Amino acid sequence: MKTNITAILIWLSVAFLGACAVGGIALHRGESINALWFITAALCIYAIAYRFYAAWIAATVLSIDATRATPAERLSNGRDYMPTNRWIVFGHHFAAIAGPGPLVGPTLAAQFGYLPGTLWILFGAVLGGCVQDMMTLFFSTRRDGKSLGQMARDELGAVGGVAALIATFLIMIILIAVLGLVVVNAMKNSPWATSTVAATIPIAMLVGLYMYKLRPGRVLEGSMLGVILLLLSVVGGGWIDGQAGLREWFNHPGLTLAFAVIGYGFAAAILPVWLLLAPRDYLSTFVKLGTVTLLALAILWMRPDIKMPALTQFIDGSGPIFGGKLFPFVFITIACGAISGFHALIASGTTPKLLANERDIPMIGYGGMLLESMVAMMAMIAATVLDPGVYFAINSPNGIVGKTAVEAVATISAWGFPVTVEQMNLLARQMGEATLFARTGGAPSLAVGMASIFGSAFGQGMLALWYHFAIMFEAIFILTTLDAGTRVGRFMLQDMLGNIWKPLGRTSWYPSVLFTSAIVVAAWGYFLYIGIIDPNGGVNILWPLFGISNQILAAIALCVATGILVKSGKLKYAWITALPLIWLVVITTTASWQKLASSDPRIGFLAAANSLSDKLAAGTLPPDKAATAPQLIFNQQLDAVLVLFFVLLLWLIVVDMLRVCARHLRGKPVPPLSEAPHHVTQLEEAWQRD
């Protein structure tokens, strides 16, 4: 009894502390607020959500059964299905889901101020993103590790299932393109960053050869070798940047780097998984978790003040980084830090095939997303501890603030965020860069923020080293998801083409591998190309498409989960997935409508195309812009078609889910539940937990 009272008092204290922290963030105005409040609010909310909400869903709604054999045990083949230690599965799952979204989305959304994005990261994750990830992982595990599209086809029928398969593949293409855009914008005209990122590829291959061929089973040796080489690559990049001859080998504009990233994506899709993909994922887990932990400790140690206001004047839609009002675009911009449809592809892909026991689902599904949300909170802090003038100077494209440094600082200072050319030049020198103006995409400003925090905690004399370490950290996040996403896209395309000609569906047939990989890479490579040639840095044209697509994919996953709950006789619990589903349908439909119908060229795709077409016809465009104008006009029109297509597919899937649920509740025939039969586990660790 005493223990129960003590536990109740502890959790009441955590709840009170969390409420005070959230209240302080939400109600604070005037002078700056300390970043410690953000960390406190996040930790308290995450702890309460995991201890109570996730546990209640797992026990009551899902009825997780620790004695039930998982597909990893029943279908074990030592290749795809294999019971794996839960901590290894957690690391693999986190490495796969943690792409650039939780880093870049909060950084870009900081143009609205720190408050909207912070609240969405906190509550969107615990009520939406974590629920989606855990539900999808559970339902896929109960269905032999089937993919999201296949589950949609089995549970909703042919119409909703085919729509989900098409939407999933096309959305994957958009997501990968934006990943490439972010890493290219971080590396362009930066020999240090480019050489460091380039070095991570042979390092990953060397580690793969070491652990799989030279010293099989020596995981610790391979891990130490990889981490040491990654750290040396950052130092070596600085040395290369200081050598007049060598630095030009890595000093390239965005378009050249884009083609290099496209080539890398193709190689990653066709090379054996043990040679590049697996060691890169493995190494990235160490770097990701280590850097996030180090950043959290630095924030706790230094307790930096947040310099960005709670709300800026740009909530009206006039933001320089991307157009659009606070609603719905803060929820579109911050996707992965709160809820991400991409996670559903991982939770219904490799992870359920490795899960040794259902009891681990809350930790891996719900807990993995909580950790990603924490990464997003770190990104928000890193972006908002910068002087607002510096933040906008780095992230605002030349097309908005002006081509010269003098024009840019004059424009930004006129907004009420003072910044000087000398201040930006000094910052660039400290970071080891030629310039930091118009480095759009979010990655450079995030790296500056992280370097500032690390520098304050561990030494200002190493700012350039910290900045390029942060760039390497972000690039590992991005390239891990880019190469894994390309391979997943290839598998999806092979599955679809296999229905037309069976040999194309064989993942081991090399002609099919080359053919489908080339199609996938060409598709996302095209969208990367249009982002690079966009005079506004690609963010305004591709990031809203990325956010809308990603949230539509999350809505599809929640549709499938809601349909399964209703068909399982758990209508009274369907609100758990239905409420975040309704919210996502509202924001994605609203954002899609605005991107299609807005008359503001900075918001509407068609309005931008028409405006540029009028200027081209009138002859008012400079020669360089006139040369790319036809391509940009077509790109805007293509984006409009894609948004319309995606939102129509979403509504088709939602209506089909409602139809199936209504038929089930009226006792009419519906596709049967595709859950696999119950088998008792034979694994000893099911009874003796580590």
Side-chain angles (χ1 to χ4, degrees), residues 8-140:
I8 291 171
L9 290 175
I10 290 174
W11 284 110
L12 284 175
S13 300
V14 172
F16 178 74
L17 181 60
C20 290
V22 173
I25 295 171
L27 302 176
H28 191 83
R29 296 293 185 272
E31 68 276 7
S32 59
I33 185 172
N34 197 277
L36 194 59
W37 287 103
F38 291 67
I39 301 294
T40 303
L43 292 178
C44 290
I45 289 174
Y46 297 159
I48 291 171
Y50 185 77
R51 172 61 183 82
F52 296 102
Y53 193 46
W56 175 76
I57 293 174
T60 306
V61 181
L62 301 180
S63 300
I64 282 177
D65 184 357
T67 69
R68 183 186 182 112
T70 65
E73 177 186 352
R74 291 186 293 102
L75 306 176
S76 179
N77 58 13
R79 185 178 65 253
D80 299 318
Y81 293 86
M82 186 167 57
T84 307
N85 180 277
R86 58 177 174 167
W87 293 109
I88 295 177
V89 179
F90 182 90
H92 161 82
H93 182 79
F94 178 71
I97 67 173
L103 297 173
V104 177
T107 304
L108 299 177
Q111 79 163 4
F112 293 128
Y114 68 76
L115 181 59
T118 298
L119 294 180
W120 175 233
I121 289 169
L122 290 175
F123 296 105
V126 300
L127 298 176
C130 296
V131 172
Q132 175 214 237
D133 290 16
M134 182 168 70
M135 289 282 197
T136 303
L137 178 57
F138 174 81
F139 290 134
S140 180

Side-chain angles (χ1 to χ4, degrees), residues 501-572:
W501 189 41
K502 284 191 176 182
L504 289 176
R506 285 163 36 199
T507 56
S508 59
W509 191 45
Y510 217 63
S512 173
V513 171
L514 294 174
F515 176 65
T516 52
S517 296
I519 292 176
V520 171
V521 171
W524 65 253
Y526 173 76
F527 286 98
L528 171 59
Y529 169 76
I530 69 174
I532 295 299
I533 67 172
D534 178 23
N536 290 331
V539 174
N540 206 46
I541 193 173
L542 278 185
W543 194 266
L545 192 61
F546 169 88
I548 291 171
S549 303
N550 200 20
Q551 304 298 62
I552 285 177
L553 190 55
I556 293 171
L558 290 170
C559 267
V560 174
T562 303
I564 293 176
L565 284 177
V566 173
K567 289 169 60 180
S568 302
K570 297 180 178 179
L571 176 63
K572 64 180 180 180

Side-chain angles (χ1 to χ4, degrees), residues 294-300 302 304 378 381-383 385 447-460 463 466:
L294 189 65
L295 186 59
L297 291 174
I299 291 171
L300 291 173
M302 296 307 301
M378 297 296 177
I381 293 171
V385 296
V448 171
M450 290 175 63
S452 300
I453 294 171
F454 285 143
S456 299
F458 309 115
Q460 292 283 350
L463 275 176
W466 286 121

Side-chain angles (χ1 to χ4, degrees), residues 6 31 86 163 239 246 278 285 290 303 310 327 467 510 653-654 662:
T6 302
E31 68 276 7
R86 58 177 174 167
W239 179 80
L246 287 177
T285 302
R303 298 184 297 280
F327 178 85
Y467 172 82
Y510 217 63
I653 296 165
V654 170

